Amino acid sequence: MRLTRRSWHLFKPGWRGLLVAALLVLFVGHAFHFWRFQAITWVERGWQDWRAQRQAPANVHRDVVILDVDERSLAELGRWPWQRDTLAKVVDVLFGPQCTGLKALGLDVLLAEPDPHPEADARLAQSLSRCPTVLGWYLSGRKDAHTTGALPIPLLLPDDVQGFALPQDRWHGYSASLPAFDAVAASGLINGLIDEDGKNRRVPVFMAHQQHVYESLALSVWRSTLPPHVARLGPPPNANRSAGYAEYLDIVMADPSPTPSVRIPLDAQGGMGVVWRGPGLREGGAFDYLSITDVVHGRIPAERWVGKIGLIGSTSPGLMDLRATPVHAAFPGVEIHALALASLLDQQFLSTPPYAAGWELAMLCLLALGGVWGLQRLRPAPALAVTLLLALGLLAAAEALRWSRGWVMPVATPLLLLCALFLLYNVWGYWSESRSKREFAALFGQYVPPQLVEKMAANPTLYSMAPRKAELTILFSDVRGFTSISEQLSPDDLREFINQYLTAMSDCIASREGTLDKFIGDAVMAFWGAPVEQPEHADRAVDAALRMLDTCRSLSEAFVARGWPPLAIGIGLNTGDVRVGDMGSNTRRAYTVMGDPVNLASRLESLTKRYGLGLLVGEATMTNVSNVHWLLVDRVRVKGKELPARIYTPVRPWPQDPNTLERFCADWQIFQDHYVQGDWPGAVACMQKLNAQTTTIDRLQIEPLIALYAQRLDALKANAPQPGWQGITDFDEK
């Protein structure tokens, strides 16, 4: 469809491309941390949390056991903190004679204050010294924090971290083990890595304090079970670049050792992702929970912990070691350490690699290209399918990297870009389509009734204003004696007169879904069959014409009642192949029809004056209309046509005597036969018989036609026609 009205709007292709580019820049800036959008971060965390919640444990971990300071233990062994000799008894039972029990023990417990009985501390220190033991301690970021206990031996010294940027190096105090305990046991940090929303999603591998690197409880416990080794940060620092965060921590075994070295991937905060194994606690099924009171009182067989690594911690709400996590709002802190230890033992690490921003950039570009390519070519339903396929492809790629490499790749940024593109293109498409429909309706609304405009606007691509050939039925109507009427009315009355008349005629045409071509003064031109195809266009046109005649009678009665002149019209209808479309000059165009059938329809409208009939139709129209009785009016040759044409008028029965119609039509056909054959006596006899019937056929406006033929017969009897008479009437006027 060629729209003649030019307009400018925001979402033309150039602006749409700029908007896509702007979206890409915004999301790329977020990926590279030039700026951050909390909404994207929230979506990313939500996806990763949902992903963590779906990861249930396949079975209880075989190498780690949790020794639980639960409510029953507190009830039977006393309130916390226990006396040091009670804790020493627990350690002795767990280790067994000559360390035949636990392989190693980690205590998620602070031993920073001395016991009121010094001999109890000595008793506990002796128990801790028997087997590999790691005590918990923590760094405090509070400005009023105190220093308690002795700092443990660091994992790495300042010389080991030259060239590296150290995370978490702003601490104001610490709470560590007493020197007596630090001398016999290793230590590990029990700090967590808490995100802005208060959840623990990662665990620290190490933290820095005063250029020294200290390891976590889980790392320290795991290292206590290894042969001699050294720890190194990597990759090696480059003198040509500024200090950067370590990407991994290598645990390198001393030669000769059958144990392979281990590389632990790190994030920028020296942490690693937690491989969640269920919602936690005993019911979670990730670890074997043993109540310490049951261990001490021999209610559990030693086989449950022998040869395993144990972690002592509490699930009692009163001891407040429950943390918010993606899988549970109150997750035991000791189980978080257990999960980190399990990752180290199984060497199954989750990490976001340093080139994650590059991944985001690649995914943003790929999805932008794929999304733009598909969205601008497809309708909403296929476009949604393409968007979902691209999103599923991204998630599948991220999932594959998670399982194969342990890489947690960001997906929210490219996913939200894809959603933004989908919304942009669909909003643009909806806006553009709505605007196109409005222009379409404005363009065709002046010709086509609203019900057709609505149908066309639903699929505007199916309709065009380009000229084409089509079979249509064309209507012309005109007011009889309009010059005389205009002279009898004031300008205001004339305006109201013509407005009421044209409105009523337009409604009749619209009621049969006709296309209103134009008003020519008091004349009306319309057609059926375009722009919407109507196989029954001739039926619709005839029905509309009859409605116009009936409406005209009602209007005439109303006009006469107001003191205005009566109203009468003539209508011409013809059917044939014409050219229809947008035609005109460079300055003024219209959707109209042209062709010989149009001219004949106009001539028929003029001939209604000669025959005194309200409606004349061409033969092509008559043959295409069903359920109507037709009366052959004449055989005519109009100006500009060499071939004669049969013209007809519809006849409707008088309600009081419907059988009269059949008799009248039969008698009329006999009259026409006599007339064409030149049998004037026979024609006159038939005419007399017809004239007697006109009282009941008067509603059909047939009397003027009979009077016309009576005059013709008188003239033909006086002056016989030339040989070859065929009953054809020639008209030299339009």
Side-chain angles (χ1 to χ4, degrees), residues 558-576:
F559 288 170
V560 170
R562 295 184 61 174
W564 292 351
L567 174 67
I569 63 172
I571 302 174
L573 282 177
N574 190 38
T575 300

Side-chain angles (χ1 to χ4, degrees), residues 64-257:
V64 180
V65 63
I66 294 177
L67 292 315
D68 188 9
V69 183
D70 56 4
E71 294 291 334
R72 287 198 303 114
S73 297
L74 294 174
E76 294 184 8
L77 299 179
R79 65 183 181 85
W80 190 263
W82 290 333
Q83 294 181 356
R84 297 291 161 77
D85 54 356
T86 300
L87 191 55
K89 182 179 179 181
V90 171
V91 172
D92 289 339
V93 172
L94 292 171
F95 281 146
Q98 299 180 352
C99 289
T100 56
L102 287 175
K103 186 178 182 180
L105 176 63
L107 286 83
D108 184 13
V109 174
L110 287 174
L111 300 177
E113 301 292 338
D115 191 272
H117 304 89
E119 65 277 7
D121 284 342
R123 168 80 173 83
L124 177 58
Q126 182 181 8
S127 297
L128 295 174
S129 65
R130 294 176 53 221
C131 303
T133 308
V134 179
L135 304 177
W137 71 290
Y138 72 89
L139 289 164
S140 175
R142 295 180 56 180
K143 292 184 178 180
D144 59 348
H146 300 287
T147 57
T148 305
L151 276 174
I153 299 174
L155 174 68
L156 298 172
L157 299 173
D159 290 342
D160 301 321
V161 296
Q162 286 292 331
F164 290 101
L166 296 178
Q168 307 289 341
D169 196 16
R170 295 182 180 178
W171 308 104
H172 299 284
Y174 57 85
S175 183
S177 302
L178 294 172
F181 301 136
D182 184 65
V184 296
S187 295
L189 286 165
I190 59 175
N191 293 69
L193 289 179
I194 304 175
D195 290 329
E196 295 174 353
D197 60 354
K199 290 184 179 180
N200 291 257
R201 295 180 175 87
R202 299 162 297 137
V203 292
V205 176
F206 60 78
M207 289 181 173
H209 178 55
Q210 298 178 352
Q211 294 298 305
H212 290 71
V213 171
Y214 297 94
E215 60 191 318
S216 67
L217 178 69
L219 179 62
S220 183
V221 171
W222 174 63
R223 288 202 313 117
S224 71
T225 65
L226 298 178
H229 59 274
V230 294
R232 298 173 185 166
L233 292 179
N238 190 335
N240 296 326
R241 65 175 176 87
S242 58
Y245 292 111
E247 296 179 9
Y248 54 81
L249 175 69
D250 277 341
I251 304 298
V252 182
M253 305 303 164
D255 293 330
S257 174

